[in-house]
Amino acid sequence: MNFDVNGLFNPENRFWSFMEKLMNLCVAGLLWFLFSLPLITVGAATTALFGYTLKLARNEEGYLWKGFWKGFKENFVTSTLLWLGVVGAGVFLGVDLFACQFLPMGGAVRWGARTLLASLIFVYFLTIIYLFPLVAAFRISLKKAVRDALLMGVGNLYVSVTVLVIYGIFGVVTWFFPVLFMVWFALAAYFSSHLLYSVFMRYLPEGDELDKEGW
């Protein structure tokens, strides 16, 4: 059996290409964490992260820092408003679900209200997994982002649930290794981007393509 030493140290070797991609994802996760520190900027940082992971899902190269910063800056307003809406809606649904146990009605009515709210929370999660990737991939308005995210989340239930499972798996990993939570989130975004990209392509008019500017 011949062993090609030169091939092992070839920078285009699959192993080194994988390691480079992994390192870039680690850096992207760190950037996401740093840009999310004010908390109000989590939405813009998440959009910028998905701008990069969607790029990787298309097997395209780009400058990580330049693209991340441009994606953060150009989508700041839309992403921040979406983030505030996501937090507000999440708090509202969570409080309502908690308050169901104090309803003065009978048990059947109480469980009916809980079931309804649990269904709304499920749809809520189906929607938010598409929101920031949509803003990253398309030049899209706030209203259209919410509408399209809802339609894609419910209309592609198998993909949406798979994405939720991916986040769930990395959520468990984060529970055991919380120090690297930003890396796990970046990896989850990368794996989910492959699925989200396939969904986005179904909704693109013929001849159109995802926004590639800035990378």
Side-chain angles (χ1 to χ4, degrees):
M1 182 176 67
N2 294 324
F3 181 73
D4 186 2
V5 177
N6 292 329
L8 177 63
F9 293 99
N10 186 344
E12 295 183 0
N13 180 286
R14 288 185 179 180
F15 173 77
W16 294 115
S17 296
F18 168 77
M19 292 302 296
E20 180 183 9
K21 183 177 291 186
L22 182 60
M23 287 301 300
N24 285 340
L25 282 170
C26 291
V27 174
L30 180 60
L31 288 175
W32 170 78
F33 170 69
L34 293 175
F35 278 72
S36 298
L37 283 178
L39 294 184
I40 196 173
T41 59
V42 170
T46 303
T47 298
L49 175 63
F50 272 104
Y52 180 67
T53 57
L54 284 168
K55 192 82 172 179
L56 291 182
R58 299 198 300 267
N59 291 316
E60 297 175 8
E61 299 295 332
Y63 295 102
L64 174 54
W65 164 251
K66 178 183 176 182
F68 192 98
W69 171 244
K70 188 168 185 178
F72 179 87
K73 183 173 56 176
E74 290 186 348
N75 298 302
F76 181 82
V77 175
T78 300
S79 298
T80 301
L81 291 175
L82 283 175
W83 169 244
L84 293 175
V86 164
V87 173
V91 170
F92 177 79
L93 290 171
V95 170
D96 281 357
L97 186 62
F98 176 76
C100 279
Q101 61 185 314
F102 302 110
L103 287 175
M105 297 90 158
V109 176
R110 189 178 301 145
W111 278 106
R114 284 178 176 173
T115 301
L116 176 61
L117 280 169
S119 300
L120 289 175
I121 291 172
F122 179 62
V123 173
Y124 165 81
F125 281 115
L126 292 180
T127 302
I128 62 175
I129 60 176
Y130 286 88
L131 273 179
F132 301 107
L134 269 172
V135 177
F138 303 99
R139 297 187 182 279
I140 191 171
S141 66
L142 186 71
K143 181 179 179 181
K144 184 171 173 56
V146 175
R147 185 193 67 185
D148 288 358
L150 175 61
L151 292 176
M152 289 181 181
V154 176
N156 301 274
L157 197 57
Y158 176 78
V159 174
S160 303
V161 171
T162 304
V163 171
L164 288 177
V165 170
I166 290 173
Y167 285 122
I169 291 172
F170 280 96
V172 172
V173 174
T174 301
W175 176 264
F176 290 101
F177 304 98
V179 176
L180 298 175
F181 76 93
M182 72 287 291
V183 175
W184 308 138
F185 181 71
L187 290 172
Y190 169 68
F191 286 114
S192 64
S193 288
H194 286 81
L195 298 172
L196 297 174
Y197 175 67
S198 67
V199 173
F200 293 165
M201 293 304 294
R202 299 176 198 167
Y203 291 84
L204 278 176
E206 188 175 351
D208 284 5
E209 57 183 14
L210 301 184
D211 182 17
K212 297 182 180 180
E213 291 188 10
W215 290 91

